[in-house]
Amino acid sequence: MQLHLRSGGQRMAIDMERAGDQSVVIGEYTYRPLQIARKVRRLATQMWGTDLAPGILEQRLIFEALEGGVIMSPWSDSGSFSPASGSVVSLGRWDEDGSVGIALHELAHEMHMRSGGYDSSDGVLREALSLLAEREAGLRRTFEREPYYTASNLINQLCELSAFSRQSFTKRWGEIVSLTNDVGLSDLVNFYLDKSERFGLGRWLKRYSDNLDLRDAMLNHIAAVTLRYSLSYRRHILEQVVQCSHEITPEQFTYVLESISTLDRRYPNDDLDQIIDFCFAPHTRQRRRMLALG
């Protein structure tokens, strides 16, 4: 890992892992290059193990800073990744620990590329993997821009679910890196929500049909509708799905889900829970009422 200091058109490179007790001040933060390098190497090795090929940290990760620091706007990028040249982390916006998190974020793009899935994945999936990685260093960020906004929502939801979060990083990484798009990631959230809270969605689908393609299509419809919904609304939809009669046709099932999306867009101020109940009502089993005998 190298730190490139730029000043007055000049650039000085520091080998961070041989920097001893040197420190540099960038803006309001003081950085210890050796400590940053050690933290990045330790965490990256824990996360990716032998997949972290020799030379990645030494040749494909650079920290850079302007002497004296610069005031960055909230929209400034803290790091960047290029498949051709690797990762760059800009110091000055985050403290030492935060900058380690940004480094892991950019390294995640590198590891995603080396797994072979980077080019075939959409922006949400790429950023979701990187946000998962930076969480391992304790960095938590919020976003207003896409694809970061949707990616962070989905990762935060996954990490709230015990069946997902209690697994090793290798397992969690492997689950997401096998996907290619935002709907697939939404489906993963629904899978772990069902697994954590035992709605019985898998059992309902098996009873509904032996056709695996049909089951997958139904799960994809649910994932597409719930893509930008909170865990609360996801729970409500899954609860209603497993209450549906097995007489519901695939076309009716699709119509119900599309109706939820349509009504939600058309009436954004209405109670979404009520919209969900309304759309599912014709197809869900009604609870038996107790008759009062007098």
Side-chain angles (χ1 to χ4, degrees):
M1 280 166 273
Q2 290 190 338
L3 171 59
H4 290 180
L5 293 170
R6 292 182 293 161
S7 176
Q10 301 295 313
R11 174 175 294 196
M12 179 176 66
I14 297 173
D15 183 339
M16 296 174 67
E17 295 188 274
R18 297 182 180 181
D21 60 358
Q22 292 183 62
S23 63
V24 293
V25 177
I26 309 296
E28 62 179 292
Y29 299 114
T30 298
Y31 299 95
R32 299 165 297 167
L34 176 59
Q35 297 305 313
I36 291 175
R38 284 177 172 173
K39 290 177 183 177
V40 170
R41 183 173 292 278
R42 175 176 56 80
L43 287 168
T45 301
Q46 288 176 358
M47 292 158 65
W48 293 295
T50 56
D51 290 338
L52 191 70
I56 291 179
L57 297 180
E58 295 82 358
Q59 302 167 21
R60 301 272 296 176
L61 176 61
I62 293 173
F63 291 79
E64 67 173 13
L66 293 175
E67 186 179 30
V70 293
I71 298 176
M72 296 185 177
S73 76
W75 300 109
S76 297
D77 289 331
S78 305
S80 63
F81 171 74
S82 164
S85 58
S87 303
V88 176
V89 177
S90 299
L91 300 180
R93 181 175 175 189
W94 298 92
D95 62 14
E96 192 171 279
D97 288 338
S99 298
V100 169
I102 298 298
L104 290 174
H105 180 111
E106 302 306 333
L107 280 171
H109 287 312
E110 177 86 35
M111 300 306 294
H112 189 193
M113 181 188 72
R114 289 171 181 264
S115 75
Y118 186 84
D119 289 339
S120 60
S121 297
D122 67 11
V124 169
L125 201 284
R126 291 178 180 180
E127 293 307 323
L129 280 166
S130 287
L131 292 171
L132 179 72
E134 70 179 45
R135 288 178 68 99
E136 293 298 295
L139 182 60
R140 302 286 190 273
R141 295 192 284 171
T142 58
F143 302 89
E144 296 180 359
R145 292 182 298 171
E146 293 289 6
Y148 311 98
Y149 177 81
T150 297
S152 64
N153 282 344
L154 293 173
I155 287 298
N156 289 341
Q157 289 180 20
L158 273 171
C159 291
E160 285 184 40
L161 300 172
S162 59
F164 179 81
S165 61
R166 68 189 177 206
Q167 299 177 120
S168 68
F169 177 82
T170 300
K171 175 66 174 175
R172 287 178 279 135
W173 172 271
E175 291 270 23
I176 299 176
V177 82
S178 66
L179 307 173
T180 59
N181 57 42
D182 54 1
V183 174
L185 188 55
S186 178
D187 180 56
L188 190 66
V189 176
N190 290 335
F191 170 80
Y192 275 104
L193 178 58
D194 181 50
K195 186 174 182 178
S196 295
E197 304 190 12
R198 301 178 181 178
F199 295 113
L201 178 61
R203 294 192 301 274
W204 185 87
L205 285 168
K206 287 180 180 178
R207 291 195 300 269
Y208 181 77
S209 174
D210 293 330
N211 188 321
L212 295 179
D213 290 336
L214 175 58
R215 291 185 206 166
D216 286 343
M218 295 172 76
L219 290 173
N220 282 338
H221 283 311
I222 297 172
V225 169
T226 57
L227 177 58
R228 290 176 175 81
Y229 285 168
S230 67
L231 280 178
S232 174
Y233 293 133
R234 287 176 183 273
R235 287 188 182 97
H236 195 168
I237 288 175
L238 294 190
E239 287 170 348
Q240 292 290 73
V241 168
V242 299
Q243 291 298 317
C244 280
S245 164
H246 287 98
E247 300 302 316
I248 188 173
T249 67
E251 292 75 21
Q252 289 172 326
F253 188 80
T254 298
Y255 180 77
V256 168
L257 295 175
E258 290 178 349
S259 296
I260 292 171
S261 296
T262 300
L263 292 174
D264 187 25
R265 287 193 302 269
R266 189 173 297 170
Y267 306 106
N269 296 322
D270 283 10
D271 188 324
L272 182 55
D273 285 315
Q274 292 185 7
I275 290 175
I276 293 169
D277 287 340
F278 174 79
C279 292
F280 273 105
H283 307 287
T284 53
R285 296 187 296 272
Q286 299 299 312
R287 295 178 180 175
R288 294 181 179 178
R289 295 181 178 178
M290 298 292 291
L291 297 178
L293 302 177

